[in-house]
Amino acid sequence: MSEFRTETDSLGPVEVPADKLWGAQTQRALQLFPIGVDPMPPEMIEAYALLKMGCALANHGAGRLNTEARDLIVTACGEILSGDHDAMFPLPVWISGSGTQFNMNVNEVVANRCSQLAGRPLGSKEPVHPNDHVNRSQSTNDNFPTAMHMAAALAISRALIPAVRAMAGSLSDHAEAWDDIVKIGRTHLQDATPLTLGQEFSGYAAMLEDHLVRLETAFEGVLALPLGGTAVGTGINTHPGFAEDAVARIADLSGLDFRPVANRFAAQGGHDALVHLSGCLKGLAASLYKIACDIRLLACGPRAGLAELVLPANEPGSSIMPGKVNPTQCEALTMVALQAMGNDLAATLGGAGGILEMNVYKPLMIFNVMQSIRNLSGAMVAFKANLLDGLKPDRERIANLLGRSLMLVTALSPAIGYEKAAEIALHAHRTGSTLKEAALELGYVTEEEFDRIVVPARMVGPQV
């Protein structure tokens, strides 16, 4: 058997490896774009298989595709969905800004697999043609952004939202369990008035719960698919009702409530729904960064730091220092968060690059959005399982730090005034005495008054 076969496209013949299902245009792209090692997001393969299947069913229903071609396309796409042909999609992200080569990669793989299934030679384009049948009623200009929306929606629903919800739930559980632990607050990295450890963690939980609301809104945005606009949004070469029928079939196949976009010109000229989604991912990343950094700081020690929290000892922390436990999950989550913030800039600039009727930064945008979704989801799952769920408070340490804090003097301000309270705190700090000793030495309160007023547990909310 020859190592190569000859396939043709509109520019002429191309030698394609004999054992590959892709065709001439994919092979040309491999030669023209040997750029980097970043493959197209794998979620795009699944999205395109669902899309091509839905389009074949819609075209057949309108009498624009024969039954044999429909059945072959559906079978080939089903195999792609099962992962049977993953190796047949070799193109990097860095191709045409429209993604045309990847669309044609899918068209060629489906068509060639259909030829195999029908007992015809690869490259024969019989009984299914990559352009005339697999790509019928479509242009890359509408089906690539459709696949982008689908890939994002599938990943959000399967991975991201469940990960955010689970991490928020774990934080909320800690907030409830630790609401009786009064600790010293800190502002400007300096001692401040008390709060409970539960209150502190309730803030973290609420941050993620707020992001869930924002993500659900962004998710709704990407459920609107621009399929049916073809080249410039007008729908040329489609039949009436194609978009509605194809999108309904995609929704049924995927289990998600996809719908046609309200205005295809807006969706093809710009990709605002994905820019909005990327912004939500950046906002989530910012909160995750803050939460991970706070926990890392509160756990620093165990003897020379704050050490209010005790990290689970999952792994050796150092190759030279025995017994060290490092906040590795915090570090992984913060690195992922920073990457997502950088990805958002690339996605935003890509979204701004819509020129007249088409955006030409599509692969860049979906690469960055999908990396953020995938990384944030995985990092949150790991953080919850390997850090949050095993996190413990050091009650003795927390109580000791609380008792030594000078900012408990804040409770005295309403009784003796800000200036005298400040004098007590400064005197205690200079002399190394306790607040109580300083207050009694200066004669601003009696012992009974101090004990009645300065009660940390009563300082974690409004005073009656």
Side-chain angles (χ1 to χ4, degrees), residues 235-256:
I236 186 173
N237 287 357
T238 66
H239 57 270
F242 166 75
E244 292 73 17
D245 188 10
V247 171
R249 293 176 187 272
I250 290 170
D252 185 60
L253 291 166
S254 66
L256 295 181

Side-chain angles (χ1 to χ4, degrees), residues 149-187:
H149 280 221
M150 292 170 62
L154 290 165
I156 292 168
S157 62
R158 291 172 180 171
L160 185 63
I161 286 179
V164 176
R165 187 172 288 123
M167 185 168 164
S170 182
L171 289 165
S172 184
D173 289 343
H174 285 322
E176 183 177 351
W178 298 340
D179 199 44
D180 65 324
I181 303 176
V182 181
K183 56 161 286 179
I184 196 64
R186 296 177 180 87
T187 58

Side-chain angles (χ1 to χ4, degrees), residues 50-60 136 138 227 242 246:
L50 289 168
L51 184 154
K52 297 296 180 181
M53 191 182 294
C55 289
L57 293 170
N59 282 318
H60 177 265
R136 176 159 290 179
Q138 306 152 59
L227 188 65
F242 166 75

Side-chain angles (χ1 to χ4, degrees), residues 206-226:
M207 291 168 74
L208 294 193
E209 288 160 3
D210 286 345
H211 285 296
L212 272 176
V213 175
R214 298 184 187 102
L215 283 170
E216 285 164 356
T217 300
F219 175 65
E220 283 297 314
V222 295
L223 289 176
L225 305 183

Side-chain angles (χ1 to χ4, degrees), residues 281-346:
L281 297 174
K282 178 183 69 174
L284 172 63
S287 291
L288 291 171
Y289 186 89
K290 183 263 195 300
I291 292 167
C293 285
D294 278 8
I295 290 174
R296 176 170 57 184
L297 181 59
L298 291 171
C300 71
R303 293 193 175 179
L306 300 183
E308 293 185 350
L309 296 176
V310 181
L311 300 173
N314 296 324
E315 57 185 337
S318 170
S319 62
I320 189 173
M321 293 175 280
K324 199 167 189 291
V325 175
N326 286 337
T328 53
Q329 290 295 326
C330 294
E331 292 160 6
L333 183 55
T334 53
M335 285 193 291
V336 164
L338 291 177
Q339 183 65 55
M341 294 177 201
N343 288 348
D344 174 65
L345 177 59

Side-chain angles (χ1 to χ4, degrees), residues 123-145:
S124 66
K125 301 179 183 177
E126 294 180 351
V128 172
H129 191 283
N131 298 82
D132 296 339
H133 300 125
V134 186
N135 201 58
R136 176 159 290 179
S137 304
Q138 306 152 59
S139 163
T140 305
N141 298 353
D142 71 325
N143 71 25
F144 198 95

